[in-house]
């Protein structure tokens, strides 16, 4: 049943993304805009917010367990489907990336930056980045956002059911939109640890969906370090699994200077295809687990 829910959520979410509908960030900001103001540096907020968060996860787990015998767990599956459709997806990314690729082709890097700056991390939006650095920042943001909006919720749903969806989606919502810096920092650390197992699995999926020999033969000095962020780790893994220097602008320019004007489009297309193939790898593994009776 979980595999069916994941497939339905993925298909529905892709259609919504193509139309730019149901942005999870928008309704999450509206939900939290009236949150209580920060007091005592956020300590007082955490005293009631953390138990409430834990209680919400536990109640969702009990609800899904209690309804598991009713119509084959239909109610729990519908709850998980609604949560996945509402809380995942990347609407609003397609048009900026298309405009970015067009600006890259014409060599107008100022326009390219203007199109994608809202998609970049806050600390990079005002930076004067070289074209190579800008492109790697865009690809890193695309990979990390796809990971958090698709792979991370699917992993925890497959592992824990609807409670896993609530566990990760609420943590992401509070990390990104709660009006207390202390709360955002606390849940940011939690999201970091929640992301470790699926991050490793996605990195390995890149190898299966791309160039395994390149991924496994990556020089030691270019492998991720413990201090690297999730986006940096996944960017390095994707670069190792992609051929034709798709995530190595300097080497691509040296190897094919005549194709530099089309590099932005070709690189983004390669990254998107790698992510899509990796998701298919995950779905294939989940299908095998379902056939073996391991996945409910």
């Amino acid at each position: 049943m979980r595999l069916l829910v994941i497939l339905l959520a993925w298909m529905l979410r892709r259609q919504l993304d193509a139309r730019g509908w149901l942005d999870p960030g928008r309704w999450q900001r509206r939900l939290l805009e009236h949150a209580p103001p920060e007091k005592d540096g956020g300590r007082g907020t955490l005293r009631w917010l953390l138990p409430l968060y834990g209680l919400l996860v536990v109640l969702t787990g009990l609800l899904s367990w209690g309804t598991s015998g009713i119509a084959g767990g239909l109610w729990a599956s519908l709850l998980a489907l609604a949560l996945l459709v509402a809380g995942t997806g990347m609407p609003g990314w397609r048009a900026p990336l298309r405009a970015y690729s067009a600006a890259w082709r014409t060599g107008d890097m100022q326009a390219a930056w203007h199109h994608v700056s809202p998609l970049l991390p806050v600390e990079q939006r005002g930076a004067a980045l070289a074209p190579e650095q800008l492109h790697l920042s865009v690809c890193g943001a695309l990979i990390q956002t796809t990971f958090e909006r698709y792979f991370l919720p699917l992993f925890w749903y497959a592992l824990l059911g609807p409670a896993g969806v609530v566990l990760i989606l609420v943590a992401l919502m509070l990390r990104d939109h709660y009006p207390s810096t202390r709360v955002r920092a606390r849940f940011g650390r939690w999201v970091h640890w929640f992301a470790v197992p699926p991050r490793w699995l996605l990195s390995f999926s890149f190898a299966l969906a791309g160039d395994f020999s390149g991924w496994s033969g990556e020089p030691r000095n270019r492998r991720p370090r413990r201090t690297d962020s999730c986006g940096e780790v996944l960017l390095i893994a994707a670069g190792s699994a992609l051929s034709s220097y798709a995530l190595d602008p300097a080497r691509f320019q040296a190897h094919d200077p005549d194709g530099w004007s089309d590099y932005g489009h070709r690189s983004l297309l390669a990254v998107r295809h790698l992510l899509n193939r990796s998701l298919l790898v995950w779905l294939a593994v989940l299908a095998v687990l379902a056939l073996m009776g391991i996945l409910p």
Side-chain angles (χ1 to χ4, degrees):
M1 182 64 77
R2 289 186 190 176
L3 177 61
L4 178 60
V5 170
I6 289 173
L7 288 172
L8 286 174
W10 177 58
M11 290 188 294
L12 289 173
R13 194 61 255 187
R14 290 293 294 267
Q15 293 299 317
L16 292 171
D17 286 354
R19 292 165 173 78
W21 295 349
L22 193 59
D23 183 359
R26 184 174 301 173
W27 68 261
Q28 289 171 2
R29 284 191 295 271
R30 290 181 178 177
L31 182 65
L32 294 176
E33 66 182 0
H34 300 299
E38 183 174 319
K39 296 180 180 179
D40 300 326
R43 293 185 181 87
T45 303
L46 285 170
R47 288 193 189 101
W48 64 265
L49 188 59
L50 293 179
L52 181 62
Y53 170 68
L55 181 63
L56 183 61
V57 174
V58 171
L59 287 178
T60 305
L62 291 175
L63 177 64
S64 60
W65 176 76
T67 58
S68 60
I70 303 176
L74 178 62
W75 294 112
S77 298
L78 290 176
L79 173 62
L81 179 63
L83 290 171
L84 288 172
V85 171
T88 62
M90 298 169 60
W93 277 71
R94 179 171 298 189
L97 291 181
R98 187 179 296 138
Y100 168 82
S101 298
W104 185 287
R105 282 197 179 101
T106 62
D108 189 353
M109 298 311 301
Q110 183 175 2
W113 174 85
H114 176 75
H115 289 305
V116 296
S117 59
L119 308 179
L120 298 177
V122 175
E123 62 273 11
Q124 298 178 4
R125 292 178 186 176
L129 301 175
E132 296 84 357
Q133 295 174 320
L134 173 63
H135 185 72
L136 291 179
S137 295
V138 172
C139 291
L142 173 62
I143 292 171
Q144 181 167 357
T145 305
T146 305
F147 171 69
E148 292 184 351
R149 294 286 185 90
Y150 278 103
F151 292 93
L152 196 52
L154 294 184
F155 173 87
W156 285 105
Y157 172 61
L159 188 66
L160 299 177
V165 182
V166 173
L167 176 78
I168 192 61
L169 290 184
V170 174
L172 286 168
M173 177 178 67
L174 295 174
R175 182 203 67 177
D176 293 336
H177 305 297
Y178 200 86
S180 165
T181 55
R182 190 179 184 89
V183 171
R184 292 198 301 270
R186 170 66 66 88
F187 281 93
R189 290 193 293 271
W190 286 18
V191 169
H192 171 77
W193 290 111
F194 290 154
V196 170
R199 183 184 68 192
W200 184 89
L201 288 176
L202 181 58
S203 177
F204 186 68
S205 302
F206 286 161
L208 298 179
D211 181 6
F212 184 84
S213 61
W215 180 85
S216 59
E218 183 70 11
R220 185 173 297 275
N221 61 355
R222 292 191 61 190
R223 291 179 182 175
R225 299 163 298 182
R226 292 184 178 181
T227 56
D228 289 338
S229 66
C230 179
E232 291 170 335
V233 171
L234 292 175
L235 184 65
I236 293 172
S240 304
L242 287 171
S243 56
S244 302
Y245 310 122
L247 284 177
D248 195 339
R251 295 180 68 182
F252 179 91
Q253 190 173 20
H255 179 75
D256 186 12
D258 295 333
W260 180 246
S261 61
D262 201 38
Y263 174 75
H265 170 71
R266 291 167 60 180
S267 177
L268 280 176
L269 193 63
V271 170
R272 290 178 61 185
H273 285 171
L274 179 67
L275 289 167
N276 289 335
R277 292 195 301 269
S278 298
L279 188 55
L280 292 177
V281 169
W282 279 39
L283 293 176
V285 171
L286 291 175
V288 172
L289 294 177
L291 290 174
M292 294 174 63
I294 298 175
L295 184 71

